Each structure stands twice: as structure tokens, then as C-alpha cells.
């Protein structure tokens, strides 16, 4: 029986992928084999030694201590692209909310009092404060052309906007998906100087933290709109508010309310709603549940952020799934120990990514506890699992 701990509400559609005769799933569970999480902050949480995998039902993994888990031989999975459409739709909504002053105008309408004749009169005299502008012909700068950035760029093109993108590590797959008339910016500053709207779709890392600061904001044309549906911390919010107050920026729309932002008249904040659609929640939960199940049952890895992709078909007999440092002579030492224990290797696959390698070895008989302990004792071996019979 595998035990799965959920740290947030995970869509039932995903949990149903874990058959109840083999999986126990609960928010409180001792010695879990895997954890399913959305936005819970795991950096300060104790993570039991029994945990072999963490599945982030979403895109960003900055709430998971990935480096520490890698050192323990724990795989961290995410759900690339599974919520991208949901975020794209909210970004497009954010542009319209900003361009047409929808939030402020709605607040005005709700504040109207008196009979209907009085309301009609107030509407006609008040509406001029909320006059806006249209999107066609305006330029959208997209920073980060991954699953979400590409969808946002293409949707903006369909709305008649010009689009400039910046992503120095764009993949060939994403580049193929991008509309051909999306221009490549030479740098972030080049993109900022040419954009009426700028939207951010990068992970939060040391390299992206405060990528927009007071100095960079001055590069933007007057009355530009910023959108952050990526992560709190990618923009320096204090610098954004200062630029709004100075009249340099027109509006800021983001998914991360704070005391500084939530009541500002030119800021619209939403409560981290980017991925909160039924479709996205189902897609993410199904994707990570399938990946976790495959990893627990066969050792195969798909969409881990810290492990290599690896797939060796498994007939369910006797497999060792080993995570080890990517250094010379690991496979040599492992196979020597197996031979010494009289185990014959039937099939084997080794894949590496950065400092980590995963080795899947199918053997002709069950590996004893003693041999398992010997493998675990090899310097550089991070974790060993015995799968199958
Ligand atoms: N508001 C919400 O609910 C959601 C927020 N997100 C956030 O959006 C981020 C992006 O999500 P996806 O597009 O699915 O991820 P992705 O991994 O498909 O794309 C990220 C892109 O950013 C690029 N990138 C990385 N560093 C960069 C830099 N310094 N400058 C320019 N580009 C850079 C990468 O090359 C990659 O193409 C996530 O990491 C997450 O933080 C994602 C989903 C929902
Ligand atoms: O699970 C959520 O609602 C947040 C989604 C998110 O931020 C992500 O996928 O990175």
C-alpha cells in the first residue's frame, strides 16, 4: 500500500488516478511515500524520511525545497502547461481591466445611491473618469516564453496587438508554437522601452527576483501597464507603487495582494487566481498523480524538475530504482554488488541530469535486505528502492 499525503486541496479527478486498493490518500498520514501539494510553503515543513516523491499540482516549484530534496534522492514533479490556458485567460482579462478601468468603474457603480433617475444622472456625469483605451495596435512585451508566455503572446496577437518577447532560454518546442510575427527583444531593457503592456511569465529564482526595479521602470514609456501573474517578488512592488504615484505608470494588475498593493487606486490585485479553474485544477492533479504513480510503481520519471526523464518498461517482477550522484563508477560499483549477491541483470537504464543520475535495474530475483543495505551504503547513492515482487 502506498501512502500519499495531500498538503492542499487536490482535485478529485487527480486523486481518482490512485486506486484505493493500492493507495491511501489523506491530509494527515504517517510516513507518506509521496506528497501532493499546490501552494503550501514546504521550505520550513519537516518532510518525513519515508517520502520518495513530491508532486506539485501546478507549474512553479519555488514553494518546494527542491535542492534539499535532490540531495535526499527525492523526485520533485510538476505539471508543465497544465494550467497555462487558465493563466492566459486571466492575463488577457487583466489587460482589459486595466485598459478600461473596469475595477474602478465597477466600484463607482456600486457606490451609486438614490432612485434610478438619480443613478442615471450620476452615471452620465461620472463615467468620463473611467474612459479607457483599446488594445489593437498597442504593444505587449512578454517576459518568459514558456507554456504560459507563448499562449499569452498568441492570444494578444489575435486581439490585434503587436507582441515582443524576451526569453534567452526559450525551448525549440515553444519557439515553434509562437506566432511568427512575435518579435524577439534583444534584452529586457529593449523590451521595456518598446512596450505599452508588460507581462511576466518566469519562475521566481534568484535571477528573476526584482527583475523590475525602480531603475528599469524608468525605461518603460509613460502610461505603461504592468501585469504579474507569475510570482510575488519578481517585480519590486514598492518601486511599482512609486512609479504609479509619480504618474509614470498607468496601472498594475497582479495575482498577489499585499498591504502595499490591495487598496491602491491604480492597482488591481486578485487572490492568486491564475490557476483556479476547474479545468486547470483537474489537469494539474491528473498529470502529477499519474507521474507520482508511475514513479512509485516503476521508477520511471516524467516531468521531474530535478531528475532526468527515464523510462524502462517494467513487467512488475524485480526492479531496483536507484538515485545516485552523477559521478564516475556508480553503475560499476552497483553492478559489482549485485553480481556478488548472485543477482543477474536482465535490463538496465541509466540517465543523468546535472549532478543527479537515475539507474533502473531489472534483476532475475528479489534483492535481499542485506544487498539493499550494501547498495545504500555506496558513497554517492542517494536512495534505493526495491520495486515489484
Ligand atoms: N498565478 C498563478 O496561479 C500561476 C503562476 N504561475 C507562475 O508562472 C511561472 C511560469 O509558468 P510556465 O509558463 O508554466 O512555466 P515554463 O517553465 O513553461 O516557462 C517559464 C519560462 O521562463 C523562461 N525564463 C526563465 N528565466 C528567465 C529570465 N530571466 N528571463 C526571461 N525568461 C526566463 C524559461 O526559459 C521558460 O521558457 C511559474 O514558474 C509560476 O511561478 C504558473 C501557473 C499559475
Ligand atoms: O495551485 C494554484 O492555485 C497555484 C498555481 C501556481 O501558482 C502554479 O502553478 O505555479
Amino acid at each position: 500500500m502506498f501512502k500519499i499525503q495531500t498538503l492542499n486541496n487536490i482535485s478529485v479527478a487527480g486523486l481518482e488516478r490512485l486506486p484505493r486498493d493500492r493507495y491511501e490518500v489523506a491530509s494527515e498520514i504517517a510516513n507518506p511515500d509521496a506528497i501532493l501539494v499546490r501552494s503550501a510553503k514546504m521550505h520550513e515543513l519537516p518532510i518525513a524520511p519515508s517520502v520518495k516523491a513530491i508532486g506539485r499540482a501546478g507549474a512553479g516549484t519555488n514553494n518546494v525545497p527542491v535542492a534539499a530534496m535532490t540531495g535526499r534522492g527525492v523526485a520533485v514533479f510538476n505539471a508543465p502547461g497544465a494550467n497555462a490556458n487558465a493563466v492566459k485567460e486571466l492575463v488577457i482579462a487583466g489587460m482589459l481591466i486595466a485598459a478600461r478601468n473596469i475595477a474602478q468603474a465597477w466600484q463607482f457603480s456600486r457606490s451609486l445611491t438614490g432612485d434610478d433617475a438619480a443613478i442615471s444622472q450620476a452615471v452620465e456625469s461620472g463615467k468620463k473618469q473611467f474612459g479607457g483605451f483599446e488594445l489593437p495596435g498597442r504593444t505587449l512585451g512578454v517576459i518568459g516564453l514558456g507554456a504560459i508566455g507563448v499562449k499569452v503572446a498568441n492570444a494578444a496577437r489575435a486581439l490585434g496587438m503587436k507582441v515582443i518577447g524576451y526569453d534567452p532560454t526559450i525551448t525549440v518546442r515553444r519557439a515553434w508554437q509562437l506566432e511568427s510575427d512575435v518579435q524577439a527583444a534583444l534584452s529586457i531593457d529593449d523590451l521595456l522601452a518598446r512596450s505599452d503592456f508588460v507581462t511576466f511569465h518566469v519562475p521566481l529564482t534568484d535571477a528573476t527576483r526584482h527583475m523590475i526595479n525602480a531603475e528599469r521602470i524608468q525605461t518603460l514609456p509613460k502610461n505603461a501597464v504592468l501585469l504579474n501573474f507569475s510570482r510575488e517578488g519578481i517585480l519590486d512592488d514598492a518601486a511599482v507603487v512609486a512609479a504609479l504615484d509619480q504618474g509614470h505608470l498607468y496601472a498594475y494588475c497582479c495575482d498577489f495582494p499585499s498591504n502595499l498593493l490591495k487598496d491602491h487606486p491604480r492597482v488591481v490585485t486578485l487572490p492568486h487566481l491564475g490557476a483556479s479553474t476547474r479545468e486547470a485544477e483537474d489537469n494539474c492533479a491528473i498529470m502529477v498523480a499519474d507521474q507520482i504513480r508511475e514513479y512509485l510503481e516503476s521508477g520511471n520519471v516524467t516531468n521531474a524538475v530535478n531528475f532526468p526523464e527515464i523510462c524502462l518498461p517494467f513487467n512488475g517482477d524485480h526492479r531496483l530504482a536507484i538515485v545516485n550522484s552523477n559521478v564516475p563508477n556508480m553503475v560499476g560499483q552497483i553492478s559489482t554488488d549485485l553480481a556478488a549477491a548472485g543477482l543477474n541483470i536482465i535490463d538496465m537504464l541509466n540517465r543523468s541530469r546535472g549532478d543527479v543520475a537515475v539507474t533502473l535495474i531489472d534483476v532475475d530475483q528479489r534483492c535481499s535486505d542485506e544487498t539493499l543495505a550494501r547498495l545504500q551504503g555506496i558513497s554517492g547513492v542517494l536512495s534505493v528502492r526495491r520495486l515489484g515482487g
Side-chain angles (χ1 to χ4, degrees):
M1 197 76 166
F2 291 109
K3 293 186 189 177
I4 310 290
Q5 182 178 20
T6 53
L7 293 187
N8 298 103
N9 283 331
I10 304 292
S11 146
V12 172
L15 300 181
E16 281 173 350
R17 313 289 278 211
L18 304 169
R20 289 300 175 268
D21 57 335
R22 264 182 290 162
Y23 287 83
E24 198 183 331
V25 181
S27 56
E28 301 281 333
I29 196 164
N31 302 319
D33 295 290
I35 293 174
L36 291 176
V37 63
R38 281 178 62 179
S39 297
K41 292 186 170 61
M42 296 183 68
H43 286 274
E44 309 303 328
L45 286 184
I47 298 172
S50 56
V51 171
K52 297 152 190 81
I54 295 173
R56 188 345 182 166
T61 51
N62 58 303
N63 58 324
V64 181
V66 178
M69 290 302 102
T70 310
R72 280 173 48 173
V74 173
V76 179
F77 296 89
N78 71 348
N83 56 23
N85 187 67
V87 181
K88 172 201 83 180
E89 289 184 2
L90 210 56
V91 172
I92 299 298
M95 284 201 287
L96 293 165
I97 287 168
R100 303 299 296 272
N101 296 303
I102 289 171
Q104 296 83 352
W106 190 357
Q107 221 163 4
F108 169 78
S109 294
R110 291 173 70 112
S111 73
L112 296 173
T113 53
D115 60 19
D116 284 351
I119 287 180
S120 281
Q121 198 179 3
V123 162
E124 289 316 313
S125 59
K127 74 180 191 185
K128 56 181 166 296
Q129 330 163 46
F130 307 112
F133 60 93
E134 298 183 23
L135 301 185
R138 307 267 167 181
T139 300
L140 170 67
V142 183
I143 298 184
L145 292 163
I148 300 169
V150 165
K151 282 190 184 297
V152 171
N154 291 347
R157 279 295 304 123
L159 289 170
M161 300 182 79
K162 296 177 194 150
V163 181
I164 311 175
Y166 177 73
D167 187 336
T169 48
I170 189 172
T171 62
V172 172
R173 179 173 165 224
R174 296 300 176 207
W176 272 110
Q177 291 170 346
L178 208 51
E179 291 291 335
S180 58
D181 48 9
V182 172
Q183 290 178 31
L186 301 173
S187 63
I188 293 179
D189 291 320
D190 175 39
L191 179 143
L192 296 179
R194 296 196 276 149
S195 299
D196 303 303
F197 292 81
V198 182
T199 186
F200 298 84
H201 300 292
V202 294
L204 178 64
T205 63
D206 289 344
T208 60
R209 192 180 299 279
H210 285 194
M211 72 185 338
I212 295 302
N213 53 26
E215 196 185 331
R216 279 226 160 107
I217 287 175
Q218 294 310 315
T219 315
L220 284 156
K222 193 166 160 32
N223 284 329
V225 173
L226 297 177
L227 302 123
N228 177 13
F229 286 83
S230 200
R231 278 292 178 272
E232 184 173 9
I234 287 172
L235 285 82
D236 175 350
D237 286 344
V240 172
V241 167
L244 287 164
D245 291 342
Q246 288 153 14
H248 185 65
L249 288 180
Y250 186 72
Y252 181 37
C253 187
C254 84
D255 219 5
F256 312 102
S258 66
N259 279 313
L260 177 67
L261 297 177
K262 70 185 175 63
D263 297 320
H264 192 285
R266 300 302 310 159
V267 178
V268 174
T269 62
L270 300 171
H272 198 176
L273 276 188
S276 294
T277 63
R278 266 197 304 280
E279 295 85 345
E281 290 179 4
D282 287 356
N283 290 343
C284 288
I286 289 170
M287 198 184 274
V288 284
D290 285 352
Q291 291 162 182
I292 290 276
R293 183 175 171 193
E294 180 67 13
Y295 183 70
L296 291 177
E297 294 183 17
S298 75
N300 289 328
V301 177
T302 309
N303 293 332
V305 298
N306 59 344
F307 281 16
E309 299 276 314
I310 185 166
C311 181
L312 182 66
F314 182 38
N315 65 9
D317 283 352
H318 307 289
R319 171 168 289 184
L320 293 164
I322 302 175
V323 183
N324 55 269
S325 300
N326 185 20
V327 293
N329 200 28
M330 294 305 305
V331 173
Q333 292 180 79
I334 292 165
S335 51
T336 301
D337 276 354
L338 294 179
L343 290 163
N344 189 33
I345 295 177
I346 292 169
D347 208 350
M348 182 166 87
L349 190 62
N350 171 272
R351 289 277 181 269
S352 66
R353 174 177 176 180
D355 294 337
V356 179
V358 177
T359 310
L360 300 178
I361 306 176
D362 289 349
V363 285
D364 62 343
Q365 54 186 291
R366 191 169 196 275
C367 178
S368 68
D369 291 347
E370 192 189 17
T371 306
L372 205 66
R374 197 167 310 124
L375 293 171
Q376 271 156 348
I378 297 173
S379 170
V381 167
L382 304 174
S383 71
V384 182
R385 288 185 298 139
R386 185 171 50 197
L387 306 176

